[in-house]
Amino acid sequence: MSEPEKIVLADGEQLAAAAAARLITVLVDAQAARGHAHAVLTGGSNGGALLKAVAASPARDAVDWARVDLWWGDERFLPAGDPERNETQAREYLLDALPLEPGRVHVMAPSDGEFGDDVDAAAAAYAAELAGFGSAVPAFDVLMLGVGPDGHVASLFPGHPGYAVTEGTAIAVRESPKPPPVRISLTLGAIGAARQVWLLAGGAGKADAVAGALGDQDLPAGAVRGTERTLWLLDEAAASKL
């Protein structure tokens, strides 16, 4: 496991631009090395700003998007097209503008999909899809996570049962402390399979969580590591209590 590194940018706009530039570079490098790339997207305000910054970057065309597999770290178990779903936001902000291979966009099932309201079946199906690449999960080239004000990442919340799960790769989350209550999330083990894990946090409302996770508090954001790199991308407000 890698030790956390920190990069502090002046504000949210610079944070998004820097993360977007890094993402494009990682995808290009992965394709040069292995012919393809795997990236795990995140939602929330920082994740959305990053996707918008990629969309606005001329350098995005350096990536062969047809050879990129896209995954999600978590998803809200809501009907397809619901504006609160991370997938819906990602398609609006970036994906619909890219020449992606549809079969390489790995969406967590919606609540009105083939599994209906059976979130356990939907999570199991995502775990099976992850396992289709020869091991429990692909070796993600980069996995991005937003950091919540309480220190949660994906849909793994402090003190919540999902945070304690030590087996498997994708789980159903019920009674989430943040609405909506039902979700699907990658586990800590699946997150830890990524070559690079990036944690994005912007704004003063994240300062306590950032300080706690990088300090000695038992928070999900402080428990995740990439196999090669663990990178915290922060703006000055989020880093203000370090």
Side-chain angles (χ1 to χ4, degrees):
M1 290 197 307
S2 54
E3 289 302 310
E5 307 169 48
K6 300 183 292 293
I7 294 178
V8 180
L9 290 308
D11 54 28
E13 184 177 353
Q14 288 193 23
L15 169 60
R22 287 177 175 275
L23 176 59
I24 290 167
T25 299
V26 166
L27 297 178
V28 169
D29 288 348
Q31 290 181 338
R34 291 176 287 279
H36 62 273
H38 288 271
V40 182
L41 305 180
T42 186
S45 57
N46 295 123
L50 183 158
L51 296 179
K52 290 178 181 179
V54 173
S57 172
R60 80 181 200 192
D61 293 334
V63 179
D64 182 351
W65 291 102
R67 294 189 292 129
V68 176
D69 282 88
L70 294 177
W71 305 84
W72 273 264
D74 74 322
E75 185 57 278
R76 295 155 179 179
F77 196 55
L78 296 168
D82 189 292
E84 293 299 308
R85 277 179 61 85
N86 292 333
E87 175 207 354
T88 306
Q89 296 175 15
R91 290 190 185 279
E92 176 186 351
Y93 297 157
L94 175 64
L95 305 193
D96 286 348
L98 298 178
L100 294 161
E101 186 69 35
R104 302 184 89 156
V105 180
H106 305 279
V107 174
M108 292 179 171
S111 61
D112 60 351
E114 63 178 306
F115 307 106
D117 61 1
D118 188 344
V119 66
D120 293 295
Y126 208 67
E129 191 164 356
L130 288 163
F133 286 82
S135 59
V137 293
F140 305 121
D141 294 290
V142 59
L143 184 151
M144 293 164 282
L145 297 167
V147 179
D150 59 354
H152 83 267
V153 292
S155 283
L156 305 177
F157 295 88
H160 195 271
Y163 178 33
V165 171
T166 57
E167 298 181 353
T169 57
I171 56 171
V173 176
R174 295 180 174 83
E175 299 182 4
S176 161
K178 178 182 178 182
V182 183
R183 298 158 173 255
I184 300 170
S185 181
L186 297 187
T187 61
L188 285 178
I191 292 169
R195 292 185 172 94
Q196 296 194 41
V197 171
W198 298 355
L199 297 105
L200 312 175
K206 307 291 180 69
D208 285 333
V210 170
L214 287 169
D216 57 4
Q217 292 185 32
D218 181 16
L219 296 174
V224 294
R225 295 284 191 278
T227 60
E228 297 177 5
R229 193 175 197 190
T230 304
L231 182 63
W232 285 74
L233 290 160
L234 310 168
D235 68 8
E236 289 182 355
S240 62
K241 295 189 178 181
L242 291 175

